[in-house]
Amino acid sequence: MNDETQRLPNLEKRHVEKLQAVFISHLHKDHVGALSFLAELGYQGPVLLSETTKDWLPFTDTLQFVSFQTTQQAVWQQVTPNLKFIWGNSGHVLGSVWYSVLFQEKQVFFSGDVSLTSPLYPVDAPPRLVYDVAFIDSGNAGQLINNLGSKEEIRQLIAEESTLSFKIESKFTSKCVEILLYLFQTTKTNLFVDEAIEQWLHFHWKHRDNLLKQTQMDLQNLLASDRLQRATKRENGVYFLTKEQFLATKMEDSLNRIPFKNHLDTSDIYYVSTYLGATKTIYFHNEACTADTTLAEIIALNQTGNWKDV
Ligand SMILES: [Zn+2]
Ligand SMILES: [Zn+2]
């Protein structure tokens, strides 16, 4: 759970005793933060995840992790006699996947976090099945976001003020990698990263089989370029930092305010919901969504109110 208090899910031993398998979509904290809690509650079954996600895990000994290669073609895998699944690349972050699960005659789709149009990672379409339940990421519900337009806006701001330093708040997400690569290709500006983001880029290179072909080449060029530098002091350029560091310019806010999605926005939610056509759809990853939220309500959330654009 992504809130300040870091609440754990309402899981008790009696639930865990019934668990046959745990599916991990990707390693962001809101999706795996309760794994050690699960181990504490005595879970001993398989925890399924992609090989890249497993490589990113800080610990692998407390639970029984069972990994699969995201570069291989996905086929149905049997976990227990009444449980089988297929995975696909979800485009949200390096090694992230969605799951289509058949459990006791019920067909369930779990999206994890999804980005439909990632320029970095492959995205697979789920099999067209009759879904009883679909869990759909609605992280950017209420918004219509065009990442290319946002990257272009960032580039223009930088071009206008070439003697300033800019900061882009960075985490272990696709956003910082995507903007780094875009600015590398479209500007001449220096790009500064802290140690964490440098490691994040090298982790991408290590798992470059999970990247689209063009992105592999772009990343190779970026890593070899002297325009990519470790941030040590304040100079003119763009900084990708995981923590507050020696930077406070007027421009910082304007960069962070530029919208960017690596979740489904309203238009994407509409597309994925109608594509899957599940009997029951449960939207998650947005404070405005509860277990009862409908697609119509998500569309109504749209702040622009301009349905023509969708
Ligand atoms: Zn995520
Ligand atoms: Zn998430």
Side-chain angles (χ1 to χ4, degrees):
M1 295 188 184
N2 246 347
D3 64 9
E4 300 287 306
T5 54
Q6 302 187 351
R7 284 181 295 138
L8 290 167
N10 302 324
L11 272 180
E12 292 170 21
K13 251 194 156 69
R14 63 192 171 92
H15 301 124
V16 173
E17 279 161 8
K18 290 194 278 185
L19 270 181
Q20 293 188 9
V22 171
F23 294 89
I24 301 298
S25 60
H26 63 294
L27 208 76
H28 286 153
K29 199 165 132 199
D30 52 322
H31 296 258
V32 291
L35 274 180
S36 50
F37 180 52
L38 203 60
E40 269 172 44
L41 291 173
Y43 179 65
Q44 292 182 332
V47 178
L48 298 142
L49 75 183
S50 78
E51 217 162 56
T52 306
T53 302
K54 189 178 171 187
D55 191 30
W56 187 6
L57 262 181
F59 56 88
T60 51
D61 50 349
T62 48
L63 289 160
Q64 186 203 327
F65 293 101
V66 181
S67 62
F68 47 83
Q69 278 188 330
T70 44
T71 47
Q72 280 174 0
Q73 209 194 345
V75 289
W76 285 95
Q77 298 180 56
Q78 201 84 37
V79 183
T80 63
N82 61 10
L83 173 67
K84 63 177 183 172
F85 75 98
I86 196 166
W87 56 264
N89 292 295
S90 68
H92 170 68
V93 77
L94 193 68
S96 68
V97 294
W98 49 252
Y99 293 100
S100 180
V101 176
L102 183 65
F103 178 56
Q104 291 179 340
E105 318 282 296
K106 294 283 184 196
Q107 194 70 55
V108 180
F109 181 80
F110 180 71
S111 72
D113 294 344
V114 176
S115 176
L116 288 182
T117 53
S118 173
L120 307 181
Y121 317 115
V123 187
D124 299 317
R128 286 196 187 267
L129 302 168
V130 178
Y131 287 100
D132 296 288
V133 188
F135 293 85
I136 296 181
D137 163 30
S138 51
N140 287 108
Q143 294 172 290
L144 294 173
I145 302 170
N146 167 5
N147 280 358
L148 186 59
S150 295
K151 285 185 288 191
E152 201 33 36
E153 207 176 321
I154 291 171
R155 185 193 67 73
Q156 281 170 13
L157 275 168
I158 289 161
E160 283 163 19
E161 308 277 0
S162 60
T163 56
L164 278 180
S165 44
F166 297 87
K167 191 181 83 167
I168 295 180
E169 261 180 57
S170 298
K171 296 178 194 157
F172 300 112
T173 61
S174 60
K175 177 182 172 180
C176 62
V177 181
E178 200 179 323
I179 296 174
L180 259 167
L181 288 173
Y182 188 78
L183 295 180
F184 178 62
Q185 283 157 337
T186 60
T187 71
K188 298 253 179 286
T189 187
N190 284 332
L191 304 163
F192 300 99
V193 293
D194 62 15
E195 189 181 0
I197 296 303
E198 189 174 272
Q199 285 173 359
W200 183 225
L201 291 174
H202 284 286
F203 190 69
H204 274 72
W205 183 245
K206 180 182 177 188
H207 291 282
R208 56 190 174 278
D209 287 352
N210 285 192
L211 300 174
L212 296 173
K213 278 278 170 297
Q214 182 64 46
T215 302
Q216 289 183 21
M217 287 189 282
D218 296 343
L219 181 61
Q220 185 172 28
N221 293 335
L222 174 70
L223 290 172
S225 167
D226 52 15
R227 279 175 54 209
L228 179 71
Q229 295 171 32
R230 179 73 77 82
T232 52
K233 59 181 190 305
R234 188 170 159 173
E235 297 168 66
N236 296 335
V238 186
Y239 287 75
F240 295 80
L241 305 173
T242 50
K243 297 187 182 80
E244 285 299 320
Q245 260 176 301
F246 53 74
L247 284 172
T249 75
K250 274 186 195 162
M251 300 307 298
E252 285 168 30
D253 291 335
S254 57
L255 286 190
N256 288 331
R257 249 189 279 120
I258 294 171
F260 201 90
K261 66 175 175 186
N262 57 357
H263 291 277
L264 301 179
D265 68 5
T266 299
S267 169
D268 302 329
I269 293 165
Y270 179 80
Y271 174 78
V272 173
S273 301
T274 50
Y275 176 98
L276 293 169
T279 306
K280 167 83 181 156
T281 299
I282 297 173
Y283 299 99
F284 70 97
H285 220 308
N286 192 305
E287 333 179 285
C289 296
T290 69
D292 301 317
T293 301
T294 64
L295 182 57
E297 284 165 337
I298 288 191
I299 291 166
L301 274 179
N302 199 317
Q303 287 155 355
T304 69
N306 192 354
W307 186 236
K308 286 197 300 287
D309 292 344
V310 179

